[in-house]
Amino acid sequence: MRKSQQAEREYEKVKHQLENLEESVRDRCKKEFTDLMIEMEDHTNDLSEGRIPFLDYKTYTDRVFFLPSKDGANDVMITGRLDIPEARRATVTQALNQFSNLLNSKTFLINFIRTLERSHDFNARAKVYFASLLTVALHGKLEYYTDIMRTLLLELMEEYVHSKNPKLMLRRSETVVERMLCNWMSICLYQFLKDSAGEPLYKLFRAIKHQIEKGPVDARVKKAKYTLNDTGLLGDDVEYSVLTLQVLVQGEGPDVTPVKVLNCDTISQVKEKIIEQVYRNQPYSQRPKVDSVTLEWRPGSTGQILSDLDLTSQKEGRWKRINTLAHYNVRDNATLVLSRVLHPQHNYDQNQENHEERNALLEDDKVFHLVRPADELDEIKSKRGSIKDKSMTKAITEIYLTRLLSVKGTLQQFVDDFFRSVLCSGAVVPPAVKYFFDFLDEQALKHNNVDEETIHIWKTNSLPLRFWVNILKNPHFTFDVHVSEVVDASLSVIAQTFMDACTKSEHKLSRDSPSNKLLYAKEISTYKKMVDDYYKGIRQMVPVSDQDMNTHLAEVSRSHTDKLNTQVALHQLYQYASKYYDGIIASLDEDPAAQSKQLTLRLQQIAAALENKVTDL
């Protein structure tokens, strides 16, 4: 009892400290928020002209379905390039069309999926990839895809309700159908993203990026002074000042662009900020990359090329410091010239040795930017005075937590706007969400042991966790932007808060709770209520009939299918049919419905036509 009373007192003490902190931080937030709003004003004006760099439907689905795969952007589904000899093209195309018809047989497809799921070597990653291939292959018939998904979900529910813990259903992508659901939501909510939730999400992303870049960011350890993530917090107080550079772009006229940077920025960071400002009306993929431009400073009659590492870089023992503007002594209002390098990999703008020297320097891992990592020697020293040092570090990190609070306060409005746009049933709710939530409610009634909390968890697993968290953590799935590791760290904290808001369980906070839970402790109850109201609101809406849902799905199929790499998806799916061929044939032979439709024969004919091609590859 004494222990628990002591813990209670500790908790109260921490809570009291936090409240005092918040009070002192609130004023700073107001100032920071005002500054941020003024600085974002120019950006918002850009937005009102429809300048949000939304990705087109194909790029969006490619990124959501295939970017996390092992090949990333080089995945054959994203590049769309199949290596088929000219002589075999016609045969292959014809066979793939027959395979497509075969996939449109529900009996065949269900047998195909079940056979794969029974195989021990068909792992979680393969399931996710297979489901995404299936989504593209069947995109032309989304009503049929939805029917398959429902059938498989009913089986999954039976399994969870009778033999497993029902609350865990849809938690992870452990089956093909769970990933199919995730892709289905991504397809059905694309328009909603463009019409409603996309703008607040983009503004939130921009605000985080803007706020982080206002303070020092260590280019090597990827930590920042302004962040929401305590593990990504720059622990040292770095002296810095803001400079405005006047930038001329070579070959693009006499206009000068003012760009705000910090004197502690590395040259690459300066280039990034310049490119961001000069090409701000272009999406990220169309802008020049950092290594394809050089930056020249002309303080006098001769110009000086600025680079991250060169012969002038300072050494501290075995460590080498990356060059910053302060290192070159670049002053406020200095004029810099940005020019394109024709061949970044053969960069002979300076003499050859200098270039090789720079490459060697960059590859050397004993390089630091703002914070020099402790050397072995330093570590031996620190072990002697370890207890004192440890208590000091603890105190120091807690002092820096006020920074997290001030960043949180500055960004609060943007976070709230995004949550509201996603969790507002009063406005437009995408028909897919209403349709699917009703399906879950309907099925739950058929099973006695499914309570309200379980239904809440199913809904949470199927929409907020499966779709929104993914979109929130990966803005580059929706927009043509680049997400740096530092921005990603802060987005993860907001995503975690969003996930916590969707759970029913209460988190008892203590001194040992992660700082991001403490950070949003006050708001979480408001967010939880928003989630509850959202689910209630959807339940009270007029149902979406099967007919309306099918009309909606047919419209999506009609609008976008021709842009997708359907043939490539069929070809990749056939690789699975080939790998598990014997199992599929055995499964079809045991199924009377498959026998009556001669599905085994059809698969054998397709295999005969495609097998040469498999060896060609």
mmCIF file of all heavy atoms in Angstrom, residues 205-247:
data_model
loop_
_atom_site.group_PDB
_atom_site.id
_atom_site.type_symbol
_atom_site.label_atom_id
_atom_site.label_comp_id
_atom_site.label_asym_id
_atom_site.label_seq_id
_atom_site.Cartn_x
_atom_site.Cartn_y
_atom_site.Cartn_z
ATOM 1 N N PHE A 205 1.605 18.320 -42.440
ATOM 2 C CA PHE A 205 2.948 17.903 -42.877
ATOM 3 C C PHE A 205 3.843 19.125 -43.097
ATOM 4 O O PHE A 205 4.981 19.194 -42.639
ATOM 5 C CB PHE A 205 2.822 17.063 -44.163
ATOM 6 C CG PHE A 205 4.119 16.934 -44.938
ATOM 7 C CD1 PHE A 205 5.162 16.160 -44.452
ATOM 8 C CD2 PHE A 205 4.286 17.594 -46.150
ATOM 9 C CE1 PHE A 205 6.363 16.048 -45.156
ATOM 10 C CE2 PHE A 205 5.479 17.495 -46.858
ATOM 11 C CZ PHE A 205 6.520 16.714 -46.355
ATOM 12 N N ARG A 206 3.291 20.144 -43.781
ATOM 13 C CA ARG A 206 4.077 21.364 -44.070
ATOM 14 C C ARG A 206 4.448 22.073 -42.764
ATOM 15 O O ARG A 206 5.555 22.574 -42.612
ATOM 16 C CB ARG A 206 3.272 22.336 -44.936
ATOM 17 C CG ARG A 206 3.023 21.920 -46.348
ATOM 18 C CD ARG A 206 4.224 21.880 -47.230
ATOM 19 N NE ARG A 206 5.161 22.972 -46.978
ATOM 20 C CZ ARG A 206 6.296 23.128 -47.633
ATOM 21 N NH1 ARG A 206 6.637 22.294 -48.577
ATOM 22 N NH2 ARG A 206 7.105 24.125 -47.361
ATOM 23 N N ALA A 207 3.486 22.124 -41.834
ATOM 24 C CA ALA A 207 3.740 22.840 -40.578
ATOM 25 C C ALA A 207 4.842 22.150 -39.778
ATOM 26 O O ALA A 207 5.727 22.806 -39.231
ATOM 27 C CB ALA A 207 2.447 22.917 -39.756
ATOM 28 N N ILE A 208 4.802 20.811 -39.731
ATOM 29 C CA ILE A 208 5.848 20.074 -39.004
ATOM 30 C C ILE A 208 7.202 20.348 -39.645
ATOM 31 O O ILE A 208 8.182 20.672 -38.968
ATOM 32 C CB ILE A 208 5.556 18.547 -39.022
ATOM 33 C CG1 ILE A 208 4.311 18.238 -38.193
ATOM 34 C CG2 ILE A 208 6.747 17.745 -38.516
ATOM 35 C CD1 ILE A 208 3.846 16.790 -38.287
ATOM 36 N N LYS A 209 7.237 20.227 -40.963
ATOM 37 C CA LYS A 209 8.500 20.420 -41.701
ATOM 38 C C LYS A 209 9.033 21.835 -41.455
ATOM 39 O O LYS A 209 10.211 22.043 -41.159
ATOM 40 C CB LYS A 209 8.214 20.194 -43.199
ATOM 41 C CG LYS A 209 9.435 20.256 -44.102
ATOM 42 C CD LYS A 209 9.025 19.781 -45.493
ATOM 43 C CE LYS A 209 9.916 20.255 -46.594
ATOM 44 N NZ LYS A 209 11.342 20.218 -46.375
ATOM 45 N N HIS A 210 8.131 22.793 -41.532
ATOM 46 C CA HIS A 210 8.503 24.203 -41.364
ATOM 47 C C HIS A 210 9.057 24.454 -39.960
ATOM 48 O O HIS A 210 10.082 25.112 -39.783
ATOM 49 C CB HIS A 210 7.269 25.069 -41.608
ATOM 50 C CG HIS A 210 7.606 26.486 -41.912
ATOM 51 N ND1 HIS A 210 7.689 26.957 -43.194
ATOM 52 C CD2 HIS A 210 7.927 27.525 -41.104
ATOM 53 C CE1 HIS A 210 8.027 28.238 -43.153
ATOM 54 N NE2 HIS A 210 8.181 28.605 -41.901
ATOM 55 N N GLN A 211 8.341 23.908 -38.972
ATOM 56 C CA GLN A 211 8.732 24.130 -37.577
ATOM 57 C C GLN A 211 10.093 23.495 -37.287
ATOM 58 O O GLN A 211 10.933 24.084 -36.620
ATOM 59 C CB GLN A 211 7.644 23.544 -36.664
ATOM 60 C CG GLN A 211 7.749 23.945 -35.213
ATOM 61 C CD GLN A 211 7.687 25.453 -34.982
ATOM 62 O OE1 GLN A 211 7.239 26.206 -35.827
ATOM 63 N NE2 GLN A 211 8.167 25.906 -33.847
ATOM 64 N N ILE A 212 10.298 22.282 -37.795
ATOM 65 C CA ILE A 212 11.570 21.580 -37.564
ATOM 66 C C ILE A 212 12.730 22.360 -38.183
ATOM 67 O O ILE A 212 13.782 22.527 -37.569
ATOM 68 C CB ILE A 212 11.500 20.144 -38.153
ATOM 69 C CG1 ILE A 212 10.629 19.269 -37.256
ATOM 70 C CG2 ILE A 212 12.901 19.532 -38.298
ATOM 71 C CD1 ILE A 212 10.296 17.912 -37.836
ATOM 72 N N GLU A 213 12.496 22.866 -39.401
ATOM 73 C CA GLU A 213 13.601 23.525 -40.119
ATOM 74 C C GLU A 213 13.909 24.914 -39.577
ATOM 75 O O GLU A 213 14.903 25.529 -39.957
ATOM 76 C CB GLU A 213 13.292 23.574 -41.620
ATOM 77 C CG GLU A 213 13.399 22.191 -42.239
ATOM 78 C CD GLU A 213 12.997 22.146 -43.702
ATOM 79 O OE1 GLU A 213 12.584 23.201 -44.247
ATOM 80 O OE2 GLU A 213 13.080 21.058 -44.300
ATOM 81 N N LYS A 214 13.057 25.415 -38.678
ATOM 82 C CA LYS A 214 13.353 26.720 -38.065
ATOM 83 C C LYS A 214 14.519 26.623 -37.090
ATOM 84 O O LYS A 214 15.117 27.620 -36.719
ATOM 85 C CB LYS A 214 12.113 27.236 -37.327
ATOM 86 C CG LYS A 214 11.124 27.939 -38.238
ATOM 87 C CD LYS A 214 9.859 28.266 -37.502
ATOM 88 C CE LYS A 214 10.055 29.424 -36.521
ATOM 89 N NZ LYS A 214 8.762 29.850 -35.968
ATOM 90 N N GLY A 215 14.793 25.409 -36.606
ATOM 91 C CA GLY A 215 15.893 25.221 -35.652
ATOM 92 C C GLY A 215 16.926 24.282 -36.233
ATOM 93 O O GLY A 215 16.725 23.706 -37.300
ATOM 94 N N PRO A 216 18.044 24.117 -35.528
ATOM 95 C CA PRO A 216 19.107 23.249 -36.034
ATOM 96 C C PRO A 216 18.650 21.791 -36.154
ATOM 97 O O PRO A 216 17.896 21.303 -35.315
ATOM 98 C CB PRO A 216 20.197 23.354 -34.961
ATOM 99 C CG PRO A 216 19.826 24.494 -34.099
ATOM 100 C CD PRO A 216 18.365 24.704 -34.224
ATOM 101 N N VAL A 217 19.100 21.147 -37.224
ATOM 102 C CA VAL A 217 18.856 19.717 -37.422
ATOM 103 C C VAL A 217 20.210 19.075 -37.691
ATOM 104 O O VAL A 217 20.918 19.502 -38.605
ATOM 105 C CB VAL A 217 17.932 19.463 -38.638
ATOM 106 C CG1 VAL A 217 17.781 17.972 -38.906
ATOM 107 C CG2 VAL A 217 16.573 20.110 -38.426
ATOM 108 N N ASP A 218 20.584 18.090 -36.868
ATOM 109 C CA ASP A 218 21.881 17.451 -37.082
ATOM 110 C C ASP A 218 21.785 16.488 -38.263
ATOM 111 O O ASP A 218 21.027 15.526 -38.232
ATOM 112 C CB ASP A 218 22.317 16.689 -35.822
ATOM 113 C CG ASP A 218 23.767 16.253 -35.903
ATOM 114 O OD1 ASP A 218 24.094 15.526 -36.860
ATOM 115 O OD2 ASP A 218 24.579 16.627 -35.028
ATOM 116 N N ALA A 219 22.576 16.783 -39.310
ATOM 117 C CA ALA A 219 22.477 16.020 -40.557
ATOM 118 C C ALA A 219 22.947 14.578 -40.402
ATOM 119 O O ALA A 219 22.532 13.702 -41.157
ATOM 120 C CB ALA A 219 23.297 16.705 -41.648
ATOM 121 N N ARG A 220 23.819 14.322 -39.422
ATOM 122 C CA ARG A 220 24.335 12.958 -39.262
ATOM 123 C C ARG A 220 23.450 12.113 -38.352
ATOM 124 O O ARG A 220 23.075 11.008 -38.707
ATOM 125 C CB ARG A 220 25.761 12.982 -38.678
ATOM 126 C CG ARG A 220 26.830 13.397 -39.655
ATOM 127 C CD ARG A 220 26.999 12.447 -40.794
ATOM 128 N NE ARG A 220 27.775 11.269 -40.454
ATOM 129 C CZ ARG A 220 28.316 10.456 -41.355
ATOM 130 N NH1 ARG A 220 28.164 10.712 -42.638
ATOM 131 N NH2 ARG A 220 28.987 9.388 -40.982
ATOM 132 N N VAL A 221 23.124 12.626 -37.158
ATOM 133 C CA VAL A 221 22.346 11.801 -36.227
ATOM 134 C C VAL A 221 20.840 11.986 -36.394
ATOM 135 O O VAL A 221 20.038 11.345 -35.716
ATOM 136 C CB VAL A 221 22.748 12.045 -34.752
ATOM 137 C CG1 VAL A 221 24.170 11.585 -34.510
ATOM 138 C CG2 VAL A 221 22.584 13.504 -34.360
ATOM 139 N N LYS A 222 20.447 12.869 -37.330
ATOM 140 C CA LYS A 222 19.029 13.096 -37.653
ATOM 141 C C LYS A 222 18.215 13.499 -36.426
ATOM 142 O O LYS A 222 17.138 12.970 -36.169
ATOM 143 C CB LYS A 222 18.386 11.852 -38.285
ATOM 144 C CG LYS A 222 19.178 11.217 -39.403
ATOM 145 C CD LYS A 222 19.197 12.076 -40.647
ATOM 146 C CE LYS A 222 19.910 11.396 -41.796
ATOM 147 N NZ LYS A 222 20.382 12.325 -42.804
ATOM 148 N N LYS A 223 18.771 14.405 -35.620
ATOM 149 C CA LYS A 223 18.013 14.910 -34.475
ATOM 150 C C LYS A 223 17.793 16.404 -34.656
ATOM 151 O O LYS A 223 18.594 17.079 -35.294
ATOM 152 C CB LYS A 223 18.782 14.635 -33.178
ATOM 153 C CG LYS A 223 18.862 13.151 -32.869
ATOM 154 C CD LYS A 223 19.436 12.880 -31.498
ATOM 155 C CE LYS A 223 19.291 11.403 -31.166
ATOM 156 N NZ LYS A 223 19.663 11.103 -29.794
ATOM 157 N N ALA A 224 16.708 16.912 -34.063
ATOM 158 C CA ALA A 224 16.352 18.309 -34.282
ATOM 159 C C ALA A 224 16.032 18.996 -32.965
ATOM 160 O O ALA A 224 15.618 18.363 -31.994
ATOM 161 C CB ALA A 224 15.126 18.376 -35.197
ATOM 162 N N LYS A 225 16.217 20.313 -32.958
ATOM 163 C CA LYS A 225 15.878 21.086 -31.753
ATOM 164 C C LYS A 225 14.357 21.122 -31.581
ATOM 165 O O LYS A 225 13.844 21.024 -30.477
ATOM 166 C CB LYS A 225 16.418 22.514 -31.898
ATOM 167 C CG LYS A 225 16.043 23.391 -30.707
ATOM 168 C CD LYS A 225 16.531 24.820 -30.842
ATOM 169 C CE LYS A 225 16.056 25.623 -29.633
ATOM 170 N NZ LYS A 225 16.554 26.995 -29.643
ATOM 171 N N TYR A 226 13.663 21.292 -32.711
ATOM 172 C CA TYR A 226 12.196 21.333 -32.655
ATOM 173 C C TYR A 226 11.630 20.027 -33.182
ATOM 174 O O TYR A 226 11.729 19.743 -34.375
ATOM 175 C CB TYR A 226 11.663 22.496 -33.510
ATOM 176 C CG TYR A 226 12.058 23.851 -32.994
ATOM 177 C CD1 TYR A 226 12.801 24.734 -33.780
ATOM 178 C CD2 TYR A 226 11.700 24.269 -31.707
ATOM 179 C CE1 TYR A 226 13.174 25.986 -33.297
ATOM 180 C CE2 TYR A 226 12.067 25.508 -31.217
ATOM 181 C CZ TYR A 226 12.803 26.365 -32.018
ATOM 182 O OH TYR A 226 13.163 27.586 -31.537
ATOM 183 N N THR A 227 11.045 19.223 -32.294
ATOM 184 C CA THR A 227 10.459 17.953 -32.703
ATOM 185 C C THR A 227 9.415 17.559 -31.663
ATOM 186 O O THR A 227 9.342 18.156 -30.593
ATOM 187 C CB THR A 227 11.543 16.859 -32.787
ATOM 188 O OG1 THR A 227 10.927 15.605 -33.075
ATOM 189 C CG2 THR A 227 12.347 16.722 -31.495
ATOM 190 N N LEU A 228 8.603 16.550 -32.021
ATOM 191 C CA LEU A 228 7.626 16.021 -31.049
ATOM 192 C C LEU A 228 8.149 14.732 -30.448
ATOM 193 O O LEU A 228 7.555 14.178 -29.538
ATOM 194 C CB LEU A 228 6.303 15.715 -31.767
ATOM 195 C CG LEU A 228 5.487 16.908 -32.252
ATOM 196 C CD1 LEU A 228 4.352 16.421 -33.137
ATOM 197 C CD2 LEU A 228 4.938 17.698 -31.081
ATOM 198 N N ASN A 229 9.256 14.246 -30.998
ATOM 199 C CA ASN A 229 9.741 12.935 -30.613
ATOM 200 C C ASN A 229 10.947 13.049 -29.690
ATOM 201 O O ASN A 229 11.986 13.566 -30.088
ATOM 202 C CB ASN A 229 10.125 12.175 -31.893
ATOM 203 C CG ASN A 229 10.265 10.703 -31.638
ATOM 204 O OD1 ASN A 229 10.770 10.285 -30.611
ATOM 205 N ND2 ASN A 229 9.806 9.903 -32.590
ATOM 206 N N ASP A 230 10.799 12.559 -28.447
ATOM 207 C CA ASP A 230 11.895 12.762 -27.495
ATOM 208 C C ASP A 230 13.189 12.055 -27.920
ATOM 209 O O ASP A 230 14.276 12.522 -27.633
ATOM 210 C CB ASP A 230 11.489 12.331 -26.083
ATOM 211 C CG ASP A 230 11.146 10.852 -26.015
ATOM 212 O OD1 ASP A 230 10.624 10.341 -27.025
ATOM 213 O OD2 ASP A 230 11.392 10.219 -24.980
ATOM 214 N N THR A 231 13.062 10.929 -28.650
ATOM 215 C CA THR A 231 14.298 10.251 -29.064
ATOM 216 C C THR A 231 14.974 11.000 -30.211
ATOM 217 O O THR A 231 16.160 10.804 -30.468
ATOM 218 C CB THR A 231 14.016 8.796 -29.526
ATOM 219 O OG1 THR A 231 13.008 8.856 -30.523
ATOM 220 C CG2 THR A 231 13.561 7.921 -28.378
ATOM 221 N N GLY A 232 14.217 11.854 -30.896
ATOM 222 C CA GLY A 232 14.807 12.617 -31.999
ATOM 223 C C GLY A 232 15.165 14.038 -31.598
ATOM 224 O O GLY A 232 15.337 14.921 -32.434
ATOM 225 N N LEU A 233 15.244 14.279 -30.264
ATOM 226 C CA LEU A 233 15.488 15.636 -29.774
ATOM 227 C C LEU A 233 16.988 15.910 -29.692
ATOM 228 O O LEU A 233 17.731 15.110 -29.150
ATOM 229 C CB LEU A 233 14.864 15.766 -28.378
ATOM 230 C CG LEU A 233 14.754 17.165 -27.782
ATOM 231 C CD1 LEU A 233 13.871 18.050 -28.625
ATOM 232 C CD2 LEU A 233 14.184 17.075 -26.369
ATOM 233 N N LEU A 234 17.397 17.034 -30.232
ATOM 234 C CA LEU A 234 18.799 17.432 -30.200
ATOM 235 C C LEU A 234 19.120 17.906 -28.783
ATOM 236 O O LEU A 234 18.654 18.950 -28.341
ATOM 237 C CB LEU A 234 19.015 18.555 -31.216
ATOM 238 C CG LEU A 234 20.440 18.946 -31.567
ATOM 239 C CD1 LEU A 234 21.214 17.775 -32.144
ATOM 240 C CD2 LEU A 234 20.433 20.081 -32.579
ATOM 241 N N GLY A 235 19.897 17.106 -28.058
ATOM 242 C CA GLY A 235 20.103 17.366 -26.636
ATOM 243 C C GLY A 235 20.989 18.553 -26.339
ATOM 244 O O GLY A 235 20.915 19.128 -25.261
ATOM 245 N N ASP A 236 21.843 18.950 -27.275
ATOM 246 C CA ASP A 236 22.788 20.025 -26.985
ATOM 247 C C ASP A 236 22.217 21.377 -27.395
ATOM 248 O O ASP A 236 21.468 21.465 -28.360
ATOM 249 C CB ASP A 236 24.103 19.804 -27.751
ATOM 250 C CG ASP A 236 24.808 18.549 -27.264
ATOM 251 O OD1 ASP A 236 24.105 17.557 -27.053
ATOM 252 O OD2 ASP A 236 26.029 18.571 -27.105
ATOM 253 N N ASP A 237 22.595 22.408 -26.671
ATOM 254 C CA ASP A 237 22.186 23.748 -27.080
ATOM 255 C C ASP A 237 23.154 24.231 -28.141
ATOM 256 O O ASP A 237 24.336 24.438 -27.871
ATOM 257 C CB ASP A 237 22.213 24.704 -25.881
ATOM 258 C CG ASP A 237 20.814 24.880 -25.336
ATOM 259 O OD1 ASP A 237 19.876 24.858 -26.155
ATOM 260 O OD2 ASP A 237 20.662 25.027 -24.111
ATOM 261 N N VAL A 238 22.672 24.360 -29.357
ATOM 262 C CA VAL A 238 23.549 24.762 -30.455
ATOM 263 C C VAL A 238 23.360 26.247 -30.706
ATOM 264 O O VAL A 238 22.226 26.722 -30.843
ATOM 265 C CB VAL A 238 23.190 23.960 -31.734
ATOM 266 C CG1 VAL A 238 24.049 24.400 -32.903
ATOM 267 C CG2 VAL A 238 23.355 22.469 -31.482
ATOM 268 N N GLU A 239 24.455 26.968 -30.733
ATOM 269 C CA GLU A 239 24.392 28.402 -31.055
ATOM 270 C C GLU A 239 24.089 28.535 -32.546
ATOM 271 O O GLU A 239 24.742 27.890 -33.368
ATOM 272 C CB GLU A 239 25.769 29.035 -30.794
ATOM 273 C CG GLU A 239 26.168 29.061 -29.337
ATOM 274 C CD GLU A 239 25.578 30.277 -28.621
ATOM 275 O OE1 GLU A 239 25.703 31.392 -29.174
ATOM 276 O OE2 GLU A 239 24.979 30.100 -27.539
ATOM 277 N N TYR A 240 23.111 29.334 -32.886
ATOM 278 C CA TYR A 240 22.881 29.534 -34.325
ATOM 279 C C TYR A 240 22.185 30.862 -34.561
ATOM 280 O O TYR A 240 21.598 31.444 -33.645
ATOM 281 C CB TYR A 240 22.028 28.395 -34.899
ATOM 282 C CG TYR A 240 20.593 28.381 -34.417
ATOM 283 C CD1 TYR A 240 19.570 28.940 -35.186
ATOM 284 C CD2 TYR A 240 20.247 27.810 -33.187
ATOM 285 C CE1 TYR A 240 18.254 28.921 -34.739
ATOM 286 C CE2 TYR A 240 18.940 27.795 -32.736
ATOM 287 C CZ TYR A 240 17.949 28.345 -33.528
ATOM 288 O OH TYR A 240 16.651 28.349 -33.100
ATOM 289 N N SER A 241 22.279 31.342 -35.806
ATOM 290 C CA SER A 241 21.508 32.546 -36.143
ATOM 291 C C SER A 241 20.877 32.347 -37.517
ATOM 292 O O SER A 241 21.336 31.529 -38.318
ATOM 293 C CB SER A 241 22.426 33.773 -36.161
ATOM 294 O OG SER A 241 23.492 33.542 -37.060
ATOM 295 N N VAL A 242 19.792 33.095 -37.752
ATOM 296 C CA VAL A 242 19.067 32.967 -39.026
ATOM 297 C C VAL A 242 19.682 33.926 -40.040
ATOM 298 O O VAL A 242 19.928 35.092 -39.732
ATOM 299 C CB VAL A 242 17.571 33.313 -38.827
ATOM 300 C CG1 VAL A 242 16.805 33.187 -40.134
ATOM 301 C CG2 VAL A 242 16.968 32.403 -37.765
ATOM 302 N N LEU A 243 19.934 33.408 -41.243
ATOM 303 C CA LEU A 243 20.463 34.258 -42.316
ATOM 304 C C LEU A 243 19.456 34.277 -43.459
ATOM 305 O O LEU A 243 18.744 33.297 -43.690
ATOM 306 C CB LEU A 243 21.780 33.686 -42.875
ATOM 307 C CG LEU A 243 22.916 33.339 -41.913
ATOM 308 C CD1 LEU A 243 24.082 32.738 -42.700
ATOM 309 C CD2 LEU A 243 23.382 34.572 -41.168
ATOM 310 N N THR A 244 19.414 35.381 -44.185
ATOM 311 C CA THR A 244 18.639 35.403 -45.425
ATOM 312 C C THR A 244 19.640 35.466 -46.567
ATOM 313 O O THR A 244 20.454 36.389 -46.630
ATOM 314 C CB THR A 244 17.702 36.630 -45.470
ATOM 315 O OG1 THR A 244 16.841 36.569 -44.327
ATOM 316 C CG2 THR A 244 16.854 36.620 -46.730
ATOM 317 N N LEU A 245 19.604 34.465 -47.441
ATOM 318 C CA LEU A 245 20.526 34.455 -48.582
ATOM 319 C C LEU A 245 19.800 34.982 -49.802
ATOM 320 O O LEU A 245 18.602 34.759 -49.973
ATOM 321 C CB LEU A 245 21.006 33.025 -48.869
ATOM 322 C CG LEU A 245 21.692 32.267 -47.727
ATOM 323 C CD1 LEU A 245 22.019 30.844 -48.176
ATOM 324 C CD2 LEU A 245 22.960 32.978 -47.285
ATOM 325 N N GLN A 246 20.535 35.683 -50.644
ATOM 326 C CA GLN A 246 19.966 36.126 -51.924
ATOM 327 C C GLN A 246 20.475 35.138 -52.970
ATOM 328 O O GLN A 246 21.661 35.066 -53.233
ATOM 329 C CB GLN A 246 20.433 37.548 -52.250
ATOM 330 C CG GLN A 246 20.142 38.573 -51.153
ATOM 331 C CD GLN A 246 18.654 38.697 -50.841
ATOM 332 O OE1 GLN A 246 17.802 38.464 -51.707
ATOM 333 N NE2 GLN A 246 18.320 39.041 -49.605
ATOM 334 N N VAL A 247 19.547 34.360 -53.531
ATOM 335 C CA VAL A 247 19.999 33.279 -54.424
ATOM 336 C C VAL A 247 19.673 33.573 -55.884
ATOM 337 O O VAL A 247 18.544 33.903 -56.228
ATOM 338 C CB VAL A 247 19.344 31.938 -54.007
ATOM 339 C CG1 VAL A 247 19.799 30.809 -54.933
ATOM 340 C CG2 VAL A 247 19.698 31.602 -52.572
#
